[in-house]
Amino acid sequence: MAQDLKLVGLKYNIAAAVFFIPYSLAEVPSNIAIKLYRPSRWIPSIMVAWGLIMTLMCLVNSYTGLIVARVFLGLAEAGLFAGVTYYISLWYPRSERAMRVAIFFSAASVAGAFGGLLAYGIEKMEGIGGLHGWQWIFCLEGITTVLVAFVSYFGIYDYPETASFLTETERAHVIAMLKSDVSNMSTHYDNKFVWQAMRDYKSYVQIGICMGSVVPIYAIALFTPTIINELGYSAANAQLLSVPPFAVGGFFTVLVGIYSDKYQIRGPIVAGGAFISLIGYIVLYTQKAPGVGYAGTLLAAAGVFPTVAVIMAWAGGNAGGDLKRGVVIAMVVGLGTLGGICSSFIYMDPPHFHIGHGTIMGWLSLTIILSFFAMWNYNRINKQKEALCAKEGITSDRADEFNAMGDDSPLFRYTI
């Protein structure tokens, strides 16, 4: 593609980066739309939109066309990750979300793994139908997305209150469980809940934590084949060798999500995963031998991929009320994803990529530092609320008095 579209200089980096601007800006409106409309209509519809855009990218024949397509791709794809994370929160209590988000997010890792395999295979279609191999990649993967989207219209149930597969006894149990989990918080739409999310400093702490993890993840997605190629492997083998880091990342994403729910911990797992990834990048930064460098890539992926799912469960679980939770998740995903712009421009000094690896080491350090701050802060506020409830005699019987306060309610406890 770089050769056919004459992507010289920073053109490839710019094409990668422009995606993230509309992607970030559209996250919050998209999650509000899920609340106003129906998940079973909104999520498949945006899938159809970006699937069509991806399919039609096979017709791109200029740098300008690629830029325009990437902008609209970012706009259409914006609502998926934040939207599905929010959707999961409408069905499961806080104690069970990390595993579900991890299973969903592991699909991104698996897609990255299969993406390398598919790219290796589809590129062999070079010249068929007058299209280049890279154009066939866009065409076939875009069509697949549209087909899955149409099936999704019939496979997504909106809410426990309306799900036809639940018996009345099961429905009552799920609804009662969800209400109890969030101290009977408000579930209706009101603009004040949007402002609650935007004015809460804790939202921005979580954004910083997320951004510190997102920068290395997008760098892995965008540049792993290039990094492996510069380690001394051929371009074709680099595509194949890009599969194991994503596979390892997907495996540990699910495994860590399970244990995060089992032991009800979020912050230590985020900080620990970022630290493991940091060690991987130190290996990449300091070692020149291909085998050792490749091991560093595996370690970096195994550490950082599990953190994002846990961060989403952590941020969403610590936001009280349906709408505030949806907006906080969208803010964390949207603004955190702006880190992808950084990822697009840091791998520019082959063969050792010291600037890229060094920059990512800084971002991972930020995630570790902010995670420790968030844990300390949540623990501090929990103790203040416990003291207030003991002093004022506040119990769960008075939950309705505080249902519009979100996580500021004295009955709400933050997960650490």
Side-chain angles (χ1 to χ4, degrees):
M1 183 177 72
Q3 180 181 345
D4 294 331
L5 300 184
K6 299 179 176 60
L7 303 182
V8 296
L10 291 175
K11 286 185 175 181
Y12 178 85
N13 306 78
I14 293 170
V18 294
F19 169 93
F20 297 105
I21 299 171
Y23 185 96
S24 299
L25 295 175
E27 294 281 4
V28 171
S30 180
N31 265 17
I32 292 174
I34 287 178
K35 185 65 180 175
L36 292 176
Y37 303 108
R38 295 165 57 190
S40 64
R41 294 294 173 263
W42 185 258
I43 294 174
S45 294
I46 63 173
M47 284 183 68
V48 170
W50 94 66
L52 288 173
I53 293 166
M54 176 64 78
T55 304
L56 295 173
M57 281 178 70
C58 75
L59 304 177
V60 166
N61 57 14
S62 68
Y63 171 63
T64 303
L66 180 64
I67 292 291
V68 172
R70 288 282 294 173
V71 168
F72 281 97
L73 188 68
L75 182 66
E77 198 176 326
L80 180 75
F81 186 46
V84 173
T85 303
Y86 178 41
Y87 176 68
I88 288 170
S89 77
L90 300 175
W91 281 85
Y92 295 97
R94 292 188 294 167
S95 61
E96 298 178 14
R97 286 178 199 160
M99 183 180 73
R100 271 76 184 185
V101 177
I103 291 170
F104 168 64
F105 187 67
S106 70
S109 306
V110 173
F114 278 105
L117 287 172
L118 287 170
Y120 181 78
I122 297 173
E123 279 182 332
K124 305 297 183 185
M125 297 177 67
E126 175 72 30
I128 296 177
L131 297 176
H132 295 290
W134 60 267
Q135 291 173 307
W136 276 113
I137 292 173
F138 289 141
C139 180
L140 296 180
E141 294 189 9
I143 289 172
T144 304
T145 297
V146 173
L147 293 175
V148 172
F150 278 119
V151 173
S152 299
Y153 277 113
F154 306 99
I156 295 179
Y157 293 88
D158 291 310
Y159 309 107
E161 291 87 345
T162 58
S164 59
F165 69 89
L166 291 174
T167 66
E168 288 306 316
T169 303
E170 290 169 339
R171 191 188 326 278
H173 171 72
V174 172
I175 292 171
M177 176 180 63
L178 291 171
K179 285 186 176 181
S180 173
D181 179 57
V182 293
S183 302
N184 215 24
M185 292 289 171
S186 173
T187 59
H188 69 280
Y189 180 89
D190 193 311
N191 284 332
K192 71 179 180 181
F193 300 132
V194 177
W195 291 112
Q196 277 183 5
M198 292 184 171
R199 290 169 179 164
D200 190 342
Y201 74 92
K202 297 186 292 298
S203 302
Y204 298 94
V205 173
Q206 289 287 355
I207 288 168
I209 294 171
C210 182
M211 190 175 288
S213 291
V214 162
V215 172
I217 281 179
Y218 276 115
I220 290 170
L222 292 169
F223 294 104
T224 292
T226 304
I227 293 168
I228 294 172
N229 184 218
E230 293 293 342
L231 285 173
Y233 300 96
S234 70
N237 285 335
Q239 283 286 5
L240 292 177
L241 286 170
S242 69
V243 173
F246 288 103
V248 167
F251 172 77
F252 279 103
T253 295
V254 175
L255 184 66
V256 168
I258 291 171
Y259 280 96
S260 177
D261 275 352
K262 182 177 180 179
Y263 295 105
Q264 285 303 289
I265 52 173
R266 304 289 190 249
I269 286 179
V270 174
F275 181 72
I276 291 170
S277 188
L278 180 61
I279 294 172
Y281 277 103
I282 290 172
V283 171
L284 279 165
Y285 190 95
T286 57
Q287 302 299 313
K288 298 179 182 178
V292 179
Y294 186 67
T297 303
L298 292 171
L299 197 60
V304 76
F305 269 94
T307 63
V308 173
V310 178
I311 290 167
M312 291 301 104
W314 198 17
N318 283 346
D322 277 4
L323 185 57
K324 181 180 180 181
R325 187 188 321 123
V327 174
V328 167
I329 291 170
M331 289 172 63
V332 171
V333 175
L335 296 178
T337 302
L338 285 174
I341 297 175
C342 172
S343 307
S344 304
F345 288 97
I346 56 178
Y347 280 92
M348 301 175 64
D349 57 331
H352 303 303
F353 297 111
H354 283 154
I355 294 174
H357 297 330
T359 302
I360 285 177
M361 286 156 61
W363 281 108
L364 288 168
S365 299
L366 177 69
T367 291
I368 295 168
I369 292 167
L370 288 179
S371 293
F372 278 108
F373 169 77
M375 287 186 281
W376 169 81
N377 192 48
Y378 288 140
N379 186 53
R380 176 184 65 85
I381 298 172
N382 281 348
K383 288 180 178 178
Q384 290 177 348
K385 289 184 176 185
E386 287 164 7
L388 177 63
C389 287
K391 180 182 177 181
E392 303 292 335
I394 300 172
T395 65
S396 58
D397 295 337
R398 296 172 58 187
D400 288 341
E401 296 179 33
F402 312 107
N403 71 349
M405 292 180 65
D407 49 272
D408 288 333
S409 165
L411 293 170
F412 188 95
R413 297 294 181 268
Y414 294 105
T415 304
I416 296 171

